[in-house]
Amino acid sequence: METKNIMIVGVGGQGTLIASRILGGIATTAGYDVKLSEVHGMAQRGGSVVTFVRYGDYVAEPIVEPGQADVLIAFERLEAKRYAHYLKKDGVLIVNDTRIDPMPVIIGAAEYPEGIIEEIEKEHTVYKADATAIAIELGNARCFNVVILGMAARHMDYAVEDWHKVIEKTVKPATIEINKKAFDAGYALAE
Amino acid sequence: MGNKKLMLGNEAIARGIYEAGVKVASAYPGTPSTEISENLVQYKDDLYCEWAPNEKVAAEVAFGASVSGVRSFACMKMVGFNVAADPVYSAAYTGVNGGFVLCVADDPGLYSSQNEQDTRAICRAAQIPCLEPSDSQEAKDFTKLAYEISEKYDKPVVIRTTTRLAHSQGFVELCDREEGHDFKYEKNIGKFVMLPANAIKRHVIVEDKMAELAKDAASFEINKAEYRDTSIGFISSGIPYTYIREAMPNASTLKLGMVHPLPTDLIAEFCSKVDRVIVFEELMPVIEEQVKAMGIACDGKNIFTRLGEYSANMIREKLLGQAPAAPAATDIPNRPPILCPGCPHRSTFYTLKRLKLHVAGDIGCYTLGAVPPLAVIESCLCMGSSISSLHGMGKARGPEYLHDWVCVIGDSTFMHTGVNSLMNMVYNQSTGTVLILDNRITAMTGHQDNPSTGKTLMGETVPAIEFEKFCRGIGIENVFTVNAFDVDELTKTIKREVKEDHLSVIVVKAPCALIPEARSKKKCVPNPDKCVHCGACLKPGCPALTRNADGTIKIDATMCNGCGLCRQLCKFDAITEVE
């Protein structure tokens, strides 16, 4: 199989590392070669963070490069815009339709761009949802990342049961059920 | 899938340490090397591991363990290798008894560092063998091999990684731990005591051993010539090798697993069989210059930059003439890292800003005090430098100059090398105000313990070194401890001390907002009816606070840690703290 390139982008502290653990877990279930690359350290303090996941018959480099992403999973709109050029021509954007102001916007040194999703929609297929609102409705705002993963799962090569198993192994025991519900909610959205 | 597991490069190195039968490991945390030690803890029934106060200590601990006859390990980020350089350069002369391996993590692209130095160049200068893996499996295999090389050639050996390798995951085949690598200690003053008369003899051995290793390296399996299309032959190592495999899978490659000393015979042979040689290496032209010194024409830094990380697209554009991929969006706001909501440093820096003081900074989360809107830190060089810089300023310009200055240093950084600088201030009769920002943890690298936290890497509870007692112990009389969130008290203390012509230390204490048990149960809640839109609460730049369209304040309840700083700054009682 040709290598599939997935990216997760977001704001440090939003739970990108847990999402990448789940993606890594699912990628190992099908016997493909897998590589993942994450950002640790300074950027995790509220900076822009990115995780790359690649799987296929043989994966050499651990990163996804501009113009190569099959699926871009963005936990926030501005981060979707920052990394949209990583998408392939037929690449798909899954975006949490929410806004987190970066410090230059908070202090009035820059403006948060308008119409981000509309602009990306001109070039790429976009699936958007206010995953944070869905997660709050399910009972835990922090599960929004798994809602988004559920949406992305539609564009990956793994069965729902396998995702559930990986979620069971990855998240804290107390949050397994709510995370599975969050996944299902996201999966249903991207239909 | 057998016994295969997806592992970070750092996790794989830890596994390699375990499997190699290592018995002692010491380290100071530093991105991107930290997870090695954090992963070693799981093997604590079989090996001893610790956080040392700094990298020099860690390297010396590993040296001592090696002299005693067991396999030992130390790891650090590349700037930490500078701190450890003193023992390391001389350990290259003494050699080892039990295998002695260091892992040093470089950071091309500056994800979390203050420079882009190249560890391979230091290994060359120190005459220390250096191995460079290109994925997690190799990270584990090379670590084990490093012990064999260390013992066979009587050398400390460096595993050089980069951020991309350290923080990427790939499959690793797990093996069992090997035991039985202990050696008997035999008194050998000529080998282990670096007096000039001994060192002069050891230097001869250093050169001989390196020459022998360079010759043997031609047949090492980790140095692999792979002949495909021979019109271009790449010489590369580490992660950059994987970019060649992506961009030009048909090109011939000489993949060097050992980057110092270079296998010159193998390089000569490879270069004779390809039409054009290109050295593809991040950062310095370490390999390229040596290939050229062999009289072989090659390309390298004339095509590819010394700056930052490489990529497969770089090869596609520079060598295959492919059009660059779509450019990144321009004119969009950056998202720099910031102090977290509830961070005690925000309160401290806002206080320093209001007092209009200049600040000499240091290495840690609090370096973010240099970023707007706080932007109070005016210098930051390396671990421990804040205190010595302040001392230098005072000696240059006199005590009065320091009435407008303070220096800030974190708890772990103070333990690392700040102590030396403070002793210098005492000894050389300095004035000045030193703020120790004690947030009870080594925060930036992801919450590691240090001598002031009362816990060890292996989880034991131990007596914590107390800053106040320590400072008094070395003869400082003016030592004060203040709660970081008590803005009034903090303001009063700093204001008073900077004007005094004496040395004072203010321990500014409050736990990191990310320590779960330290988290406040409170939340700050705005009251729009009382809000006069003055914006005083917004000034410290807490990301939880924004304005509503009508100018009143909005506080994001999921972000707020209830630190109460904004509440203290509001003169109109428009913010309250609720349980």
Side-chain angles (χ1 to χ4, degrees):
Chain A
M1 170 183 133
E2 203 173 314
T3 302
K4 194 114 175 185
N5 297 315
I6 319 278
M7 290 172 70
I8 310 174
V9 301
V11 179
Q14 264 193 313
T16 48
L17 284 185
I18 276 284
S20 90
R21 291 280 185 280
I22 295 173
L23 272 189
I26 193 75
T28 59
T29 58
Y32 296 124
D33 190 12
V34 180
K35 280 191 180 157
L36 254 104
S37 195
E38 310 165 340
V39 174
H40 297 212
M42 200 168 208
Q44 291 250 297
R45 300 282 174 263
S48 167
V49 291
V50 53
T51 293
F52 304 110
V53 183
R54 308 187 72 217
Y55 58 90
D57 293 333
Y58 165 68
V59 179
E61 65 172 316
I63 60 170
V64 178
E65 302 196 21
Q68 293 183 341
D70 294 285
V71 183
L72 172 63
I73 302 167
F75 284 181
E76 196 268 353
R77 284 204 300 267
L78 180 60
E79 297 314 302
K81 186 176 171 74
R82 195 182 312 283
Y83 291 99
H85 66 292
Y86 275 75
L87 279 168
K88 268 182 184 164
K89 272 208 173 93
D90 55 352
V92 176
L93 169 69
I94 316 282
V95 57
N96 184 19
D97 195 1
T98 193
R99 165 176 169 167
I100 301 176
D101 286 352
M103 194 48 67
V105 172
I106 292 178
I107 63 172
E111 271 184 36
Y112 195 99
E114 297 296 328
I116 289 174
I117 292 175
E118 293 72 16
E119 195 187 314
I120 299 172
E121 268 173 337
K122 287 181 197 157
E123 310 266 336
H124 300 281
T125 308
V126 177
Y127 293 88
K128 62 176 175 183
D130 186 345
T132 311
I134 294 167
I136 290 171
E137 214 167 284
L138 288 170
N140 185 345
R142 296 197 69 83
C143 295
F144 84 89
N145 52 1
V146 179
V147 175
I148 296 285
L149 281 186
M151 293 170 75
R154 287 272 177 194
H155 305 276
M156 292 173 63
D157 310 86
Y158 303 94
V160 170
E161 308 82 73
D162 290 335
W163 283 96
H164 279 191
K165 274 185 217 155
V166 172
I167 289 169
E168 282 167 19
K169 275 193 273 182
T170 316
V171 303
K172 285 189 193 136
T175 65
I176 288 174
E177 281 316 308
I178 192 160
N179 273 299
K180 282 205 263 186
K181 274 188 206 157
F183 179 88
D184 293 344
Y187 196 78
L189 273 178
E191 210 165 346
Chain B
M1 201 155 318
N3 209 5
K4 268 186 168 179
K5 206 184 151 206
L6 207 54
M7 283 183 158
L8 280 176
N10 280 344
E11 218 176 331
I13 289 168
R15 181 72 196 184
I17 298 300
Y18 165 75
E19 290 181 8
V22 170
K23 293 204 169 154
V24 173
S26 187
Y28 184 78
T31 312
S33 72
T34 314
E35 298 83 3
I36 299 173
S37 301
E38 291 182 322
N39 276 287
L40 275 177
V41 183
Q42 63 188 295
Y43 310 117
K44 69 180 177 183
D45 291 342
D46 295 292
L47 53 80
Y48 170 82
C49 54
E50 66 175 21
W51 292 128
N54 69 40
E55 297 85 353
K56 175 184 179 318
V57 173
E60 291 157 349
V61 168
F63 170 76
S66 161
V67 170
S68 84
V70 306
R71 289 189 163 182
S72 69
F73 179 70
C75 63
M76 57 205 69
K77 71 181 297 176
M78 78 296 183
V79 282
F81 201 30
N82 303 333
V83 179
D86 199 1
V88 165
Y89 271 74
S90 295
Y93 276 40
T94 64
V96 306
N97 187 18
F100 174 13
V101 173
L102 302 113
C103 176
V104 185
D106 283 355
D107 189 17
L110 289 159
Y111 288 90
S112 233
S113 304
Q114 62 267 47
N115 69 39
E116 283 191 298
Q117 70 183 62
D118 191 325
T119 290
R120 299 172 307 158
I122 300 178
C123 290
R124 259 193 100 188
Q127 286 287 58
I128 286 184
C130 179
L131 308 184
E132 185 175 20
S134 66
D135 61 25
S136 295
Q137 180 68 53
E138 286 188 359
K140 193 196 81 167
D141 294 344
F142 285 21
T143 302
K144 291 166 80 175
L145 177 67
Y147 283 95
E148 289 172 30
I149 294 173
S150 173
E151 285 162 5
K152 183 170 178 195
Y153 296 90
D154 193 12
K155 280 286 202 179
V157 175
V158 165
I159 306 282
R160 184 244 189 172
T161 68
T162 58
T163 301
R164 195 53 74 185
L165 177 82
H167 291 164
S168 290
Q169 300 184 40
F171 281 116
V172 178
E173 184 115 32
L174 306 186
C175 307
D176 292 332
R177 177 168 165 95
E178 300 166 12
E179 296 288 354
H181 289 295
D182 292 5
F183 294 79
K184 225 179 104 204
Y185 171 72
E186 280 168 30
K187 185 171 175 177
N188 189 344
I189 291 172
K191 177 173 160 62
F192 287 120
V193 181
M194 283 304 92
L195 283 166
N198 294 339
I200 207 164
K201 291 182 198 140
R202 291 300 303 179
H203 193 186
V204 178
I205 297 171
V206 168
E207 298 304 326
D208 288 350
K209 289 276 180 195
M210 291 306 276
E212 186 190 335
L213 180 55
K215 205 156 179 50
D216 293 353
S219 60
F220 283 4
E221 268 178 37
I222 60 167
N223 295 322
K224 264 190 299 208
E226 299 164 326
Y227 296 101
R228 301 179 193 91
D229 174 4
T230 54
S231 59
I232 292 184
F234 285 98
I235 302 177
S236 191
S237 66
I239 288 285
Y241 166 80
T242 69
Y243 300 140
I244 301 168
R245 300 296 298 134
E246 289 284 345
M248 295 180 69
N250 291 323
S252 294
T253 50
L254 174 56
K255 178 183 181 299
L256 298 175
M258 188 161 78
V259 290
H260 186 70
L262 292 180
T264 43
D265 294 348
L266 183 61
I267 289 172
E269 187 192 329
F270 177 79
C271 294
S272 73
K273 289 185 180 172
V274 298
D275 302 335
R276 180 185 177 196
V277 179
I278 301 174
V279 181
F280 192 64
E281 56 186 329
E282 285 170 344
L283 304 179
M284 288 179 65
V286 174
I287 299 171
E288 180 187 349
E289 284 178 355
Q290 293 180 82
V291 171
K292 283 185 170 150
M294 289 168 66
I296 297 168
C298 64
D299 291 310
K301 293 299 168 190
N302 55 331
I303 303 173
F304 300 103
T305 173
R306 283 178 181 237
L307 313 177
E309 280 193 296
Y310 282 7
S311 65
N313 276 352
M314 208 178 243
I315 297 175
R316 293 184 184 109
E317 287 164 31
K318 302 266 186 191
L319 295 179
L320 301 177
Q322 291 181 8
T330 49
D331 304 334
I332 67 169
N334 284 332
R335 193 184 295 277
I338 47 173
L339 297 172
C340 304
C343 175
H345 301 323
R346 177 173 289 106
S347 171
T348 309
F349 288 138
Y350 186 60
T351 304
L352 294 172
K353 191 182 170 92
R354 285 209 295 187
L355 291 171
K356 295 193 169 62
L357 290 168
H358 301 282
V359 182
D362 222 299
I363 306 281
C365 284
Y366 50 94
T367 318
L368 294 172
V371 178
L374 295 163
V376 287
I377 286 190
E378 296 176 38
S379 72
C380 171
L381 188 65
C382 64
M383 298 285 285
S385 63
S386 59
I387 299 177
S388 350
S389 307
L390 189 78
H391 172 78
M393 289 169 187
K395 291 298 172 191
R397 307 293 293 272
E400 204 165 313
Y401 185 77
L402 295 190
H403 292 179
D404 297 324
W405 280 85
V406 297
C407 73
V408 295
I409 184 166
D411 45 64
S412 189
T413 310
F414 180 75
M415 289 292 161
H416 180 279
T417 33
V419 287
N420 305 298
S421 307
L422 192 62
M423 284 189 286
N424 188 45
M425 287 188 95
V426 173
Y427 172 46
N428 287 307
Q429 297 291 292
S430 235
T431 64
T433 307
V434 175
L435 269 57
I436 299 177
L437 309 184
D438 179 13
N439 66 353
R440 312 304 303 136
I441 205 79
T442 314
M444 179 57 95
T445 45
H447 285 190
Q448 290 75 33
D449 283 290
N450 67 60
S452 75
T453 65
K455 263 206 155 168
T456 68
L457 175 59
M458 289 166 80
E460 298 131 314
T461 304
V462 293
I465 296 177
E466 292 171 39
F467 296 108
E468 239 195 270
K469 276 190 190 165
F470 178 91
C471 295
R472 290 189 191 284
I474 62 171
I476 303 170
E477 284 167 16
N478 309 292
V479 189
F480 311 92
T481 299
V482 185
N483 176 353
F485 289 114
D486 188 342
V487 177
D488 289 343
E489 182 65 20
L490 189 61
T491 305
K492 213 172 71 191
T493 311
I494 297 172
K495 212 172 164 177
R496 181 188 71 226
E497 288 306 310
V498 289
K499 296 299 172 208
E500 294 285 347
D501 287 335
H502 63 213
L503 173 60
S504 54
V505 174
I506 305 171
V507 182
V508 186
K509 203 164 178 169
C512 168
L514 299 183
I515 298 176
E517 50 272 30
R519 275 208 173 153
S520 162
K521 300 263 184 302
K522 294 178 182 167
K523 297 272 175 209
C524 292
V525 180
N527 180 349
D529 297 336
K530 290 188 176 176
C531 180
V532 300
H533 311 182
C534 69
C537 58
L538 292 172
K539 283 187 179 158
C542 175
L545 271 71
T546 46
R547 270 192 208 273
N548 291 311
D550 66 358
T552 57
I553 299 304
K554 181 164 79 179
I555 301 178
D556 184 326
T558 62
M559 289 171 99
C560 175
N561 268 319
C563 75
L565 176 63
C566 56
R567 195 234 343 124
Q568 289 183 69
L569 299 178
C570 180
K571 293 198 177 93
F572 305 94
D573 288 331
I575 297 174
T576 45
E577 282 173 58
V578 297
E579 289 288 328

